Each structure stands twice: as structure tokens, then as C-alpha cells.
């Protein structure tokens, strides 16, 4: 970090960014509001989902749960259902819990202060900074990957962005250029990072910061940001049994929280009595963050009513059919399997 201890004046960089933002801000629907509830939901939704992909889901979500109270009073399963298509279901569970927390700890009023917002379930420093700055004039930079990329390029700073201290490091760097209107600045950084200072092929000639950007002037833009270690995805094998009879099949809600917490799944094992009814197996691959899944799904068509009833009596699985399965949330590969079965079953 160059000269960081001498506190040089880099505020003009932040101000240039603000002037650019005034003319070039993207016209996003959630920018029309300062409602902290909606800003919070949208920050969570768009953390990992592209705006074009997530907008429809976001609109559906806030249409069904327009405020903290409605969300807090909803059933968890319904919240998860409305999160369908956005992945990362633990976020939906956390949002639901946080809404209840706001009702009990803050009398239903969204907290204003960064430190208080940070206490909400599932809310990290980035989201707390974004909500407090956009809605309540808070002064914390909402440091995310865009900040890492832009700041490391502007200052030609080789601090490893995969280092566990990167967040603190780049927050400190961000404070050097932070103007007074922090809410607009945070949104400007988001737009600059996604439209101009993109990870690949940044549009430096159009960039409002190009005169100040060290990486650009040294023709070393492609060398920043620096990322040292690469997390290797782990391989994971799963096995499921799609146990069905006359259009009905067996499911259970997951308790394991290492993936797919609270989603529904097929039985992961069957008894010996069901083995003769296995009519096929399908292997599907599915990628999650840091995990490559290989899932074997056995098709078990139970022709004997007695065996079916016995298996149900001996286990705690729920019985469902294709119609009512639409009201439950399944991991993507299982959802696809059910929809294929639904198609096939319709022609029987
Ligand atoms: S000049 Fe290029 S590298 Fe530097 S901030 Fe702008 S877009 Fe990013």
C-alpha cells in the first residue's frame, strides 16, 4: 500500500467517480427506493446473481413479502419457495430469521446504524455498509469484489485478494478516496466494476479514473488484482433413491447443513426389500461453490403395495406426488429429475 500512513489526499478520485455516476448511473428498479427492507433484500439477492437473472425473482419476492412484518410472519417453507431460482437457500433462511429479529429486537423498525444492521442474521459487513449508507447516510464503504479490483488497479496494489485480511486492507484503501456521499459512492463503485472496470477487458479509455489509475498508466492492468491461492473444488458423490408407486414418491427434508439445508430430497438409502424394484440409475453432475457433485439417482418403482406400505411404515419419509411437489423446494438436480418424471408420467 503506497503512502497509506501519510494519508495523502486521494479524495478527488472518489469525487470523479461520483460525477461519473451522476451522469451514468444504471436505471435499476431498486434505485427508485430508499426503503431499507427492499435495499437489504436486493443486496442479498444480487450478491451472487446477475441483475438480469435475479430481477424477476427479486420482484416476485418483494411482491409476496413487501415488508419486514409480512416476511417475519410467513412460514419458512414459503420463504424458501419464493427464493427458488436464486440458489444459496441458507440466505433465504437467514433473511427470514433476520426479519423476525427486527420484529422482536427493533419493534419492527429496520435498524439505522451500521453496527446494529450487522447484528442481523446473515448480514455481513458489505450488506450492513450498503444498507446504512444508501438508506441512512452511513459512512462505511461497501467493500466487495468490485472494490478489490478497482482499488488494486488504481493504486497498482499487489495485495493478495484471497488473503483473509483483504477485506480490512481494501476497506482502509477505500477510506482514502471516500467522498461525503458514501451511499452514492458505493453504488458508483458497483456500476464502475460491472460496466467499466470489468474483470476481463476493462474499458479503460472510457473510465472516469483513467488519469489517476496507476495500473493503466503503467500498462499493467491485466496484472491486477493479484489472487494467489485458488480454491480447488472438492469432488463429492451422493446417492438417492427415487422410490415411487402410482405417481407418488417419497421425500424428506434435509437437516444436514453442509449443502442444501432445509430443502427436500429423496431417500438416500433403501431397505433390502426394495432392491428388486430398482429399474434403472441415472448419474447427474452438478456444480456448487467449491464442490463438484456426482449424484446417482436410482429409479425404484415399487410394484408391491405391501412392500410400499411396509417401507413407509418403517421410515419417516413423506409421501408426495408431482402436483404437490411444486410447493416444495428441491435441489436443482432433484427438481429436474422430478420434472422429467412428471413429463413421463403424464403419458402413462
Ligand atoms: S483505468 Fe482501467 S483499470 Fe483503471 S480503474 Fe479504470 S477501467 Fe479500471
Amino acid at each position: 500500500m503506497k503512502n497509506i500512513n501519510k494519508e495523502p489526499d486521494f479524495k478527488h478520485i472518489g469525487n470523479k467517480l461520483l460525477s461519473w455516476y451522476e451522469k451514468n448511473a444504471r436505471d435499476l428498479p431498486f434505485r427508485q427506493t430508499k426503503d431499507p427492507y427492499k435495499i437489504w433484500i436486493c443486496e442479498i439477492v444480487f450478491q451472487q446473481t446477475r441483475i438480469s437473472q435475479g430481477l424477476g425473482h427479486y420482484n416476485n419476492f418483494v411482491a409476496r413479502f413487501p415488508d419486514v412484518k409480512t416476511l417475519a410472519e410467513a412460514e419458512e417453507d414459503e420463504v424458501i419457495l419464493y427464493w427458488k431460482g436464486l440458489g444459496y437457500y441458507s440466505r433465504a433462511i437467514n433473511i427470514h430469521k433476520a426479519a423476525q429479529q427486527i420484529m422482536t429486537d427493533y419493534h419492527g423498525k429496520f435498524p439505522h446504524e451500521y453496527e446494529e444492521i450487522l447484528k442481523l442474521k446473515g448480514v455481513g459487513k458489505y450488506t450492513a455498509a450498503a444498507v446504512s449508507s444508501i438508506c441512512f447516510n452511513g459512512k462505511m464503504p461497501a467493500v466487495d469484489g468490485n472494490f478489490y479490483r478497482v482499488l488494486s488497479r488504481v493504486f497498482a496494489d499487489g495485495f493478495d485478494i484471497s488473503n483473509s485480511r483483504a477485506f480490512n486492507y481494501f476497506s482502509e484503501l477505500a477510506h482514502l478516496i471516500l467522498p461525503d456521499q458514501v451511499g452514492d459512492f458505493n453504488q458508483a463503485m458497483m456500476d464502475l466494476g460491472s460496466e467499466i472496470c470489468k474483470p476481463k477487458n476493462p474499458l479503460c479509455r472510457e473510465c472516469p479514473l483513467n488519469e489517476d489509475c496507476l495500473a493503466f498508466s503503467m500498462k499493467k492492468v491485466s496484472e491486477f488484482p493479484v489472487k494467489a491461492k485458488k480454491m480447488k473444488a472438492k469432488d463429492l458423490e451422493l446417492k438417492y433413491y427415487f422410490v415411487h408407486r402410482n405417481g407418488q414418491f417419497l421425500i424428506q427434508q434435509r437437516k444436514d447443513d453442509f449443502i442444501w439445508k432445509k430443502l427436500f430430497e429423496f431417500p438416500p438409502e433403501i431397505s433390502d426389500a426394495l432392491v428388486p424394484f430398482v429399474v434403472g440409475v441415472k448419474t447427474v453432475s452438478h456444480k456448487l461453490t467449491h464442490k463438484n457433485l456426482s449424484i446417482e439417482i436410482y429409479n425404484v418403482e415399487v410394484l408391491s403395495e405391501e412392500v410400499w406400505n411396509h417401507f413407509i411404515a418403517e421410515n419417516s419419509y413423506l409421501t408426495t406426488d408431482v402436483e404437490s411437489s411444486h410447493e416444495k423446494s428441491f435441489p436443482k438436480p432433484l427438481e429436474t429429475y422430478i420434472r422429467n418424471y412428471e413429463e413421463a408420467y403424464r403419458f402413462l
Side-chain angles (χ1 to χ4, degrees), residues 88-234:
Y88 301 95
Y89 285 91
S90 57
R91 291 191 181 160
I93 296 167
N94 285 341
I95 280 178
H96 186 224
K97 291 211 175 97
Q100 293 171 336
Q101 215 180 331
I102 295 172
M103 294 309 293
T104 51
D105 299 356
Y106 300 94
H107 311 290
K109 226 169 152 263
F110 208 99
H112 290 202
E113 300 300 327
Y114 169 82
E115 299 295 345
E116 295 301 315
I117 301 173
L118 202 52
K119 288 181 188 161
L120 299 176
K121 182 87 183 160
V123 170
K125 291 176 180 170
Y126 166 81
T127 306
V131 176
S132 66
S133 67
I134 295 170
C135 307
F136 305 114
N137 211 16
K139 298 296 177 199
M140 296 297 280
V143 175
D144 67 349
N146 289 315
F147 273 72
Y148 289 7
R149 189 167 62 255
V150 174
L151 292 172
S152 65
R153 286 172 176 173
V154 166
F155 291 102
D157 192 309
F159 194 93
D160 173 12
I161 61 165
S162 62
N163 186 305
S164 58
R165 287 184 293 112
F167 181 86
N168 289 344
Y169 184 86
F170 285 100
S171 297
E172 221 177 303
L173 212 47
H175 275 287
L176 294 182
I177 67 167
L178 206 62
D180 291 336
Q181 302 100 303
V182 179
D184 281 351
F185 172 81
N186 283 334
Q187 300 193 78
M189 205 60 150
M190 186 168 113
D191 282 11
L192 189 84
S194 83
E195 304 289 302
I196 305 282
C197 194
K198 300 185 281 189
K200 284 190 186 140
N201 305 322
L203 309 177
C204 298
R205 307 240 162 248
E206 296 169 32
C207 177
L209 310 184
N210 56 15
E211 286 174 11
D212 302 281
C213 180
L214 273 178
F216 179 61
S217 68
M218 298 189 309
K219 296 193 171 54
K220 289 190 172 173
V221 171
S222 62
E223 292 176 26
F224 299 96
V226 171
K227 188 174 185 182
K229 69 171 182 234
K230 219 176 172 178
M231 276 269 271
K232 201 179 169 306
K234 282 200 184 117

Side-chain angles (χ1 to χ4, degrees), residues 45-328:
V45 165
F46 297 113
Q47 254 168 49
Q48 296 285 342
T49 309
R50 297 219 324 240
I51 291 183
S52 54
Q53 276 173 352
L55 202 51
H57 295 292
Y58 164 78
N59 287 335
N60 286 344
F61 192 90
V62 293
R64 168 61 189 92
F65 310 111
D67 48 45
V68 173
K69 187 167 183 286
T70 318
L71 180 59
E73 288 171 355
E75 292 294 330
E76 186 181 79
D77 282 352
E78 196 191 359
V79 178
I80 294 176
L81 190 64
Y82 270 80
W83 201 258
K84 225 176 189 174
L86 289 169
Y88 301 95
Y89 285 91
S90 57
R91 291 191 181 160
I93 296 167
N94 285 341
I95 280 178
H96 186 224
K97 291 211 175 97
Q100 293 171 336
Q101 215 180 331
I102 295 172
M103 294 309 293
T104 51
D105 299 356
Y106 300 94
H107 311 290
K109 226 169 152 263
F110 208 99
H112 290 202
E113 300 300 327
Y114 169 82
E115 299 295 345
E116 295 301 315
I117 301 173
L118 202 52
K119 288 181 188 161
L120 299 176
K121 182 87 183 160
V123 170
K125 291 176 180 170
Y126 166 81
T127 306
V131 176
S132 66
S133 67
I134 295 170
C135 307
F136 305 114
N137 211 16
K139 298 296 177 199
M140 296 297 280
V143 175
D144 67 349
N146 289 315
F147 273 72
Y148 289 7
R149 189 167 62 255
V150 174
L151 292 172
S152 65
R153 286 172 176 173
V154 166
F155 291 102
D157 192 309
F159 194 93
D160 173 12
I161 61 165
S162 62
N163 186 305
S164 58
R165 287 184 293 112
F167 181 86
N168 289 344
Y169 184 86
F170 285 100
S171 297
E172 221 177 303
L173 212 47
H175 275 287
L176 294 182
I177 67 167
L178 206 62
D180 291 336
Q181 302 100 303
V182 179
D184 281 351
F185 172 81
N186 283 334
Q187 300 193 78
M189 205 60 150
M190 186 168 113
D191 282 11
L192 189 84
S194 83
E195 304 289 302
I196 305 282
C197 194
K198 300 185 281 189
K200 284 190 186 140
N201 305 322
L203 309 177
C204 298
R205 307 240 162 248
E206 296 169 32
C207 177
L209 310 184
N210 56 15
E211 286 174 11
D212 302 281
C213 180
L214 273 178
F216 179 61
S217 68
M218 298 189 309
K219 296 193 171 54
K220 289 190 172 173
V221 171
S222 62
E223 292 176 26
F224 299 96
V226 171
K227 188 174 185 182
K229 69 171 182 234
K230 219 176 172 178
M231 276 269 271
K232 201 179 169 306
K234 282 200 184 117
D235 294 332
L236 195 66
E237 289 176 1
L238 296 175
K239 205 176 267 189
Y240 282 121
Y241 295 87
F242 183 69
V243 181
H244 62 108
R245 177 177 165 76
N246 296 336
Q248 294 204 305
F249 57 95
L250 304 182
I251 57 172
Q252 67 178 0
Q253 195 163 25
R254 282 182 65 83
K255 292 184 191 74
D256 239 344
D257 64 358
F258 85 107
I259 52 167
W260 298 334
K261 190 178 179 186
K262 302 257 174 113
L263 298 198
F264 286 85
E265 64 180 0
F266 307 148
E269 52 195 6
I270 53 172
S271 62
D272 289 346
L274 257 61
V275 173
F277 298 106
V278 173
V279 289
V281 60
K282 190 174 166 50
T283 306
V284 287
S285 305
H286 187 69
K287 277 190 191 307
L288 296 171
T289 321
H290 309 317
K291 288 186 187 67
N292 295 325
L293 305 185
S294 169
I295 311 165
E296 284 184 343
I297 307 178
Y298 288 83
N299 182 355
V300 189
E301 186 176 12
V302 188
L303 300 174
S304 157
E305 190 177 358
E306 194 188 333
V307 173
W308 171 260
N309 288 337
H310 189 256
F311 187 69
I312 291 174
E314 291 285 292
N315 294 281
S316 53
Y317 296 117
L318 304 170
T319 310
T320 188
D321 55 30
V322 284
E323 193 107 326
S324 32
S325 70
H326 283 277
E327 289 153 24
K328 300 210 165 3

